Amino acid sequence: PMSFSSHNALRAYADTNASTAMAQDPHGLVSMLFEGAILAIAAARTNTQLGMVQQKCEAISKAISIIEDGLYASLDEKAGGEIAHQLGRLYEYMVARLVEANANNLTEPLEEVGDLLSQLATAWAEIKPTARAEASMEDV
């Protein structure tokens, strides 16, 4: 079994790689976080329907972790202002709905959160070309 210190070392390595990826392509990393959360929620729905409790719990925990430690943690309320604040509240709501889905073996909250994340992912994907166009205009 992996010792506690080697687990911490691997975690630090993973965190460093995530930080590096964030610095290189923060937009792409957020897109990956949306995708990961959506896939985890889809797995949670399937496992709930199949009565696979442990797998459902693991999938919901993964989705919550991605939302809290990835999406929520990446918000910059200083730079993002009211939009970042509202997104933060939306992420908190999503986590509460996922906890409810987990506790009560419900698929409806999973569907709701999956839909919300899909809408956000679509909107997020649409803003990147605009940001790139503005950056290239500054270089002219």
Side-chain angles (χ1 to χ4, degrees):
M2 197 183 320
S3 71
F4 187 70
S5 61
S6 62
H7 178 72
N8 287 347
L10 285 173
R11 179 118 195 168
Y13 174 76
D15 290 347
T16 302
N17 282 343
S19 299
T20 303
M22 188 73 165
Q24 292 173 351
D25 183 13
H27 190 278
L29 184 59
V30 171
S31 295
M32 289 171 43
L33 292 170
F34 281 129
E35 184 178 331
I38 291 165
L39 290 172
I41 290 168
R45 281 180 61 191
T46 300
N47 289 317
T48 300
Q49 292 163 341
L50 296 174
M52 299 174 76
V53 177
Q54 182 180 344
Q55 293 89 338
K56 173 209 66 168
C57 291
E58 289 170 358
I60 290 176
S61 292
K62 182 177 182 179
I64 289 173
S65 176
I66 292 169
I67 293 169
E68 288 183 336
D69 302 335
L71 295 169
Y72 188 89
S74 70
L75 291 175
D76 183 347
E77 289 207 22
K78 205 174 212 176
E82 185 60 24
I83 292 172
H85 176 72
Q86 293 299 330
L87 271 174
R89 292 186 59 195
L90 183 58
Y91 292 147
E92 290 168 3
Y93 171 77
M94 289 180 190
V95 169
R97 291 292 280 158
L98 292 174
V99 169
E100 178 186 356
N102 201 17
N104 301 303
N105 285 313
L106 301 172
T107 56
E108 188 274 325
L110 297 173
E111 293 165 12
E112 178 188 10
V113 175
D115 288 345
L116 288 168
L117 286 168
S118 293
Q119 291 173 35
L120 288 174
T122 300
W124 182 253
E126 289 172 358
I127 62 173
K128 185 168 186 174
T130 306
R132 273 205 175 140
E134 288 173 6
S136 64
M137 289 299 287
E138 291 170 9
D139 295 339
V140 176

